[in-house]
Amino acid sequence: MSRRDGGTGPSQEGCSRSALDGWEMGAFTRSAFVVKKMNNAQPNWLRVGLAFSTSAALWAFLIKQHNEDVMEYERRNKRGHKCTGCS
C-alpha cells in the first residue's frame, strides 16, 4: 500500500496524527541512561575511587601475571636444548 500523500513508505491507516508526529520527530530515541546532567564541580568520589582502584587492581594483576610468565620462561629454558636434529 502507498501512503496517502503519494509516498511509498508504510501505511498510516489506523494511526492517529499525533502518534505519527512523534514517530517522525524521533521521540522514541531518547536515552534511558541519561537521567540528569552531570555536575563537574562536585564529582562523585565513590565512582572516581572505584574507577581508580579497579584500574590499579588490573595493573597489579597484569604485572603479577607477567612476572610469573617470565619465571616460567626462564625455568623452561634452563633445562637446555635436547633436540639433536636442529641445525
Side-chain angles (χ1 to χ4, degrees):
M1 293 172 83
S2 64
R3 292 181 4 192
R4 281 183 245 164
D5 62 356
T8 58
S11 173
Q12 297 176 356
E13 293 176 19
C15 295
S16 68
R17 188 67 189 150
S18 62
L20 292 174
D21 286 341
W23 178 70
E24 291 171 354
M25 299 298 292
F28 301 111
T29 60
R30 192 181 80 174
S31 175
F33 299 104
V34 178
V35 177
K36 62 181 179 176
K37 189 172 181 174
M38 296 297 295
N39 184 1
N40 292 332
Q42 297 175 339
N44 184 346
W45 291 110
L46 177 63
R47 292 180 72 187
V48 172
L50 284 173
F52 279 116
S53 62
T54 301
S55 178
L58 288 172
W59 273 105
F61 176 74
L62 178 70
I63 292 168
K64 177 182 154 290
Q65 190 67 41
H66 172 73
N67 290 337
E68 289 175 0
D69 291 343
V70 169
M71 286 175 29
E72 179 70 16
Y73 174 80
E74 291 173 352
R75 184 185 65 81
R76 289 184 182 203
N77 285 336
K78 282 186 180 178
R79 286 187 268 167
H81 191 73
K82 297 179 182 176
C83 179
T84 58
C86 293
S87 57

